[in-house]
Structures are given as C-alpha cells and as structure tokens.
Amino acid sequence: MGDGDGTYTVDEALVALGFGKFQMLVLAYAGMGSVAEAMEMMLLSFVGPAVESLWGLSAQQESLISSVVFAGMLVGAYSWGIVSDKYGRRKGFLITAVVTSLAGLLSALSPNYISLLVFRWFVGLGVGGGPVLSSWFLEFIPAPSRGTWMVGFSAFWTVGTLFEASLAWYVMPTLGWRWLLAFSAIPCSLLLVFYRMTPESPRFLCLKGRTDEAVAILETISRLNGKPLPLGTLVSESEIELSRKNCPPEDSAFKVPDSEKVSTRSNGHETPVKTVDSEFDNVTTEETRLISSKSDNDMTCNQVIDYEVVPPGSHEGDTSNVGGPSSVLMLLSPRLIKSTLLLWEVFFGNAFTYYGLVLLTTELSTGSKQCGPTELRSENSNKISYGDVFIASFAEFPGLLLSAAIVDKLGRKFSMSAMFFLCSIFLFPLVFHQPQWITTTLLFGARTCITGTFTVVYIYAPEIYPTSVRSTGVGVASSMGRIGGMLCPLVAVGLVHGCHQTIAIILFECVVLVSAISVLFFPFETKGRDLSDNLYDVDSKQIVTA
C-alpha cells in the first residue's frame, strides 16, 4: 500500500484496521492514567487551605504546596519523555506510575510541612509523565479520527477532576485531608495492576527496527478489531521516504543535485556517492564495492538502501536512535525550532491559566471574605464552597464537547485561538469584584474555554513531532507548562489573599491573549495528517481521509 509495491506503513495499517475494541482497551488504560493525574492536581485546591489552618501557614507557604508539585512535574515531564523515546513508551509510564502512587500514599502520612513538600514534589515528578501516556495512545489511533478520539481521551481528565471534587466534598468535612490524599493515590496504583497487559507502540518498534514485534501487535489489533491487515511487508515511513527520494522510476534518468546526494557511513566517516548519467542500478561508490560481492551492474536500489543512508542534512533526517540531551537539541533544529518555541509559550499560557482558574475557584471565595469586614474574616475565611468547586469542575465537560465539535472541522490552530480569545472575554469582568453567583458563572465559562484549548494543544503537540522525539517534545513542552503551574499559585493565591484581585485577573488576561496570538503563528495545520517518523518529512506529510 505504501507505494503500490507490496509494502505498508503503520499509519496505513491503522487506517485499514480502524478504531475498534483494541483501541478502546488502550483508551481505558491511558484514561485511567489521566484520571489519576487530574485527581492529584485537583486536590491542590483542598489540601492547601486545610493545612494552612492546621499548621498556621502563611499565604506564601500555602502556595508553595502547589508550586513544589509543578516543580516536580517540570523535571518529570522532561525526564520521562526522554526515557520513553529511548527505551519505549511502556517503560516510561511504568516508572511514572510507581513514583506517583508511592509518593501519593506517603504524602498522606506526612508528619509536618517540610515532609509534605518533599512527598508532593515526588508526586509531581511522577505525574510529569502524563504526556507519555497521551503519546502512547495517540500512536494507536487512525489519522482521520485522531482529533476526535484524543478529545475522548481528554474526557478522562475531566472525570478525574469531578471525581476529586466529589470525593473532597465528602471526605474533607468527615475524614480530613490525609484520607483525601490516600484515596487520590488509588487510581494510579491501578495502572501497575494492569501493566503487563499493555502493548508497546508499533510505531516506536518499527522506528527502532523491531519490525517483527510491531507486526505482532498489528496482528493483535487486526484480530480484536475483526479487520485484515494490508497485504505486503511493514516498513517505516523513513524507509519509504528515502526510497522515494533516492529511487526514481526506472524510465527516468537519475541525476542527483549536489545538495541532495546520498552518502554512506563507515567507521564514522561519510563517503559521497559517485553518480553517473545512467540508470540508478549503475550508481556505485568505492565503499559499496568493498562491502558488496555483486558487480556494479548488479547493484539495485534496495541494496543501496540496505546500507545506512543519510538523507540531505543528516542532522534533520533519521533520528531513530537519538536520546538524552541530543533529542532535546533536535527540538531546536531548523525544522522544529519555530513550532517548539511557540508550543512552549502556549503550554505555559494554558497551564498558568488552567491551574490558576482551579485555584481561583476557591480563592475568590475565601479571599473575598478575608478582604471583607473584619468580623467575617476569622469565622469564614477558611471555608471552602465545595458546591462552587464542583460546578466549576463540571465546566470541563462543555469544554470537551466544544473541542470535539470543532477540532476536526475547523482545525487545531483556529480551535485553540478562538477558545483562548473567548476565555479572555469571560475573565475580564472579574477585574472588578462581582457577586458570588456571577463569579462562579464567569469562572465556569472561562474554564470551559481553557479546558478546550488544553485538550486541543495536547492533540496538536504530538502531531507536530516525529516519532523519534515525540514524547520528548511533548514532555519538554509540558515542562514549560509546569513552570506556568509553579507561578500561578503566587498569583491566584498570593495576590488574592493580599486583596489584589484586579492585578491577578489582569495578569491572567495578558497570558491568555499572548497565547491566543502565538497559536496563529504555528507553521502548519495537522488536521488529518499522517504522523511523521523523522525530521526529514515532518512538514510534508499527506492528508489522510477516511
């Protein structure tokens, strides 16, 4: 199918197999990880105010409880992305599940403020691996329905936030914050129970040359979905791309421009290919004569490609074996640097605004009481309106429905930008103090929009990166978001507690508007495009239709 020559790619296999029972099982597992991550993040709204009154903490110390989680996520998002790109997606989310569940349980046993900070940092370290699960799930979805099903995956986050709000509503007044921390660690522990049943990404396996294992997984998908695999041999996108560029049709003259000559490697040295004005089967090098027992006239295109072929600009070509710092540097290569820097800003803006709105839901209620008449402060300043928190959390469902409705119709870029601008409209009236019901309504609308943008950016981010650095790319971008998460408590908690609500909202407005404008400058739309395997074809993938 790949070129009409008896080969097919992972993308083509997934389109032929469709979205079926296998993908539903993968979605359930990845979704449980998203539920666990959402619960660990949502509980920050409840634990901070509780321990503040219990241990007599200042506003800065309370905000630090949230900030250390994001600091851990900053490290984890970078680290687990590299691990999963080098050693596999399964190994990446196994480590994150172990760290998160263990640190979550230990947090419930924290004897003092310092130990709570340490354990919550480790929770953040584990939760930072969330992008690994999203990349893993993404690589099993057929391209035509990728946007819709990634929105479905994001729905699990919303389920987690609502479940945590409901759990806190019941547990906090009766059992206290320690039990809330303990119960919130359970979903992540379930990932370990079912880990042995999870498959590795066939796209990752194919990229690493483990084609037989990739075929075995595709055959499992075929069996569960009840649809046949394409006929032929599984090949990677990079192999097809190289054969297209280096093997023209037999009836065409083969003459390679100097800027696009293929090279071979031997002992770390490159030897340029010597071309002649005949057909491709006459292309030879001194190096291939020594390696091959065939004569020059017997040399074929496929045999040339069996050697390590380095496409033009090899630093932007096959990246299947990159890892560690080199994979991060790859994100700043000429083909990716614009997308990468813009993505970092959008992730920062999304996380800063989203987690800020989560915290504002409680802080605008308790903070307004602290800034009110003196006689009301001591009595009501630490009371949380769990009903308002639940209502604001429920706003994520409309956000998911909105993003699902437009992401595959209007595209990723327009969807994100429109919802960012709409979020700024909802936030603006909060520059001035409003009655509680108006505040809740405006926060509901703003959170609907920011949930939509967060959903779409987590669809867009893995699509712009090749398989070889996909988890690293999303992980590092997510790390930029964690920086936003670290800073937002200082605004949502510190400024509101200091009776500076106007300044806090203006800062949120500025961040949202800058993010909306940044989205417009993304270099290309990814709606309906194949996923790329390497940098060589990252900006030239075809559009796939059902």
Side-chain angles (χ1 to χ4, degrees), residues 150-196:
M150 284 301 290
V151 172
F153 168 73
S154 299
F156 284 89
W157 175 282
T158 301
V159 171
T161 60
L162 285 174
F163 184 72
E164 185 68 23
S166 303
L167 188 64
W169 201 347
Y170 174 76
V171 172
M172 288 291 288
T174 56
L175 301 176
W177 62 273
R178 292 185 186 275
W179 281 101
L180 180 66
L181 288 173
F183 288 142
S184 299
I186 293 176
C188 197
S189 303
L190 295 177
L191 295 178
L192 301 176
V193 175
F194 298 103
Y195 173 76
R196 292 178 61 86

Side-chain angles (χ1 to χ4, degrees), residues 12-132:
E12 291 166 337
L14 291 176
V15 170
L17 297 174
F19 193 101
K21 182 179 179 180
F22 181 91
Q23 282 86 354
M24 292 301 293
L25 294 173
V26 173
L27 174 61
Y29 187 87
M32 181 58 67
S34 185
V35 167
E37 181 181 356
M39 292 179 67
E40 291 291 353
M41 300 309 301
M42 188 65 188
L43 63 79
L44 298 177
S45 299
F46 310 110
V47 174
V51 298
E52 178 193 21
S53 58
L54 177 65
W55 290 338
L57 305 179
S58 65
Q60 289 72 26
Q61 288 175 315
E62 179 195 345
S63 64
L64 191 58
I65 296 174
S66 298
S67 295
V68 294
V69 177
F70 291 107
M73 294 173 77
L74 176 67
V75 178
Y78 169 79
S79 304
W80 308 136
I82 291 177
V83 169
S84 66
D85 277 336
K86 190 171 182 64
Y87 300 106
R89 312 310 192 210
R90 294 180 76 246
K91 288 185 175 64
F93 59 69
L94 170 64
I95 301 173
T96 63
V98 171
V99 173
T100 305
S101 56
L102 182 60
L105 290 172
L106 290 175
S107 297
L109 305 175
S110 301
N112 51 49
Y113 175 69
I114 298 299
S115 61
L116 179 63
L117 291 181
V118 172
F119 290 137
R120 296 314 294 172
W121 184 89
F122 277 103
V123 168
L125 181 68
V127 170
V132 176

Side-chain angles (χ1 to χ4, degrees), residues 281-345:
D281 59 358
N282 290 324
V283 178
T284 61
T285 66
E286 295 177 3
E287 203 167 6
T288 55
R289 288 195 189 98
L290 294 175
I291 298 175
S292 176
S293 60
K294 293 183 176 289
S295 66
D296 292 348
N297 293 331
D298 292 331
M299 181 64 71
T300 66
C301 175
N302 287 337
Q303 287 161 344
V304 171
I305 292 179
D306 282 341
Y307 301 107
E308 185 180 356
V309 183
V310 182
S314 58
H315 61 289
E316 294 178 5
D318 181 14
T319 56
S320 60
N321 292 316
V322 298
S326 61
S327 62
V328 178
L329 293 177
M330 195 68 66
L331 304 179
L332 301 177
S333 63
R335 287 180 183 265
L336 290 179
I337 186 169
K338 181 178 179 180
S339 296
T340 295
L341 294 180
L342 288 171
L343 195 65
W344 288 356
E345 198 290 320

Side-chain angles (χ1 to χ4, degrees), residues 390-401:
F390 184 85
I391 292 172
S393 299
F394 193 78
E396 298 197 7
F397 275 118
L400 289 172
L401 294 175

Side-chain angles (χ1 to χ4, degrees), residues 477-501:
S478 181
S479 295
M480 298 300 109
R482 306 318 175 191
I483 295 177
M486 290 169 59
L487 296 177
C488 79
L490 303 177
V491 177
V493 178
L495 289 179
V496 174
H497 274 211
C499 302
H500 301 298
Q501 176 178 326

Side-chain angles (χ1 to χ4, degrees), residues 410-463:
L410 304 180
R412 284 47 161 159
K413 292 174 59 178
F414 182 84
S415 299
M416 281 190 284
S417 185
M419 287 187 287
F420 268 128
F421 281 119
L422 190 57
C423 178
S424 69
I425 294 174
F426 280 112
L427 281 176
F428 183 74
L430 292 176
V431 169
F432 310 100
H433 288 277
Q434 305 289 346
Q436 187 61 41
W437 70 270
I438 294 180
T439 297
T440 302
T441 302
L442 292 172
L443 288 174
F444 185 97
R447 191 155 168 186
T448 294
C449 296
I450 205 65
T451 297
T453 60
F454 227 147
T455 299
V456 178
V457 78
Y458 265 108
I459 297 171
Y460 184 79
E463 291 177 333

